[in-house]
Amino acid sequence: MSAEATAEGWSSGDGVDGVSAGQRLNWLMGDLVERVAGARQALLLSADGLLLSRSPGVDREEGERLAAIASGFSSLARGARAQLGASEVRQSVVEMDSVFFFVLPAGQGAQLALVADSSCDMGQAAFEVNRLVRQVGPYLSALPRGRGGQG
């Protein structure tokens, strides 16, 4: 297993062709950033805010901060759903002066977050993150969790 995959907390062995699940997910996060014009960063996190995967250019510390922020937004949205008469949260989008921040469920116990410039095509960004979740979401519920740095 590579040092990167071990640092990500993956406890499973190498997958197909020696590529770990963590490396494949990092590739998917990078591919998402490349497909969405104006996208800056993408990450996958557990429902409780643990960083699982990140796009290239996002260091571990920054990824962990973004995962905590995404988890907080997701928690607020889930808390508001009953008050607002909704049964599920499909996605949260926070629009700031220069950035959009998308957070959506990505399989049982996982979430996907995307940071994109405010000049991005918001429709395309939402389409791409939802398409990725539909494609890989069923597989994400089986992601192994690390054991606090062991491994």
Side-chain angles (χ1 to χ4, degrees):
M1 186 179 313
S2 72
E4 176 71 11
T6 302
E8 290 301 312
W10 297 103
S11 57
S12 63
D14 286 348
V16 177
D17 298 326
V19 178
S20 73
Q23 290 167 320
R24 286 191 301 272
L25 289 171
N26 285 346
W27 180 86
L28 285 172
M29 297 300 102
D31 184 58
L32 176 63
V33 169
E34 288 180 18
R35 278 196 328 269
V36 177
R40 297 181 187 176
Q41 301 151 322
L43 53 111
L44 185 67
L45 58 138
S46 67
D48 58 355
L50 176 69
L51 177 64
L52 300 174
S53 179
R54 61 190 188 259
S55 59
V58 178
D59 67 33
R60 180 143 189 93
E61 186 176 320
E62 181 181 23
E64 289 175 348
R65 281 193 308 268
L66 287 171
I69 293 166
S71 181
F73 280 130
S74 180
S75 179
L76 285 170
R78 283 191 316 273
R81 77 176 168 209
Q83 183 67 34
L84 300 174
S87 59
E88 71 175 308
V89 176
R90 294 189 182 144
Q91 69 181 8
S92 300
V93 181
V94 180
E95 181 179 2
M96 298 171 219
D97 61 344
S98 61
V99 173
F100 286 121
F101 190 52
F102 297 83
V103 181
L104 60 156
Q108 185 172 343
Q111 298 178 56
L112 177 71
L114 177 73
V115 178
D117 294 332
S118 62
S119 61
C120 82
D121 180 337
M122 191 171 166
Q124 183 213 8
F127 172 80
E128 291 292 346
V129 294
N130 281 286
R131 183 172 72 97
L132 180 61
V133 166
R134 279 192 308 276
Q135 288 176 338
V136 300
Y139 304 103
L140 297 179
S141 61
L143 284 175
R145 293 228 4 207
R147 295 184 217 165
Q150 298 174 355

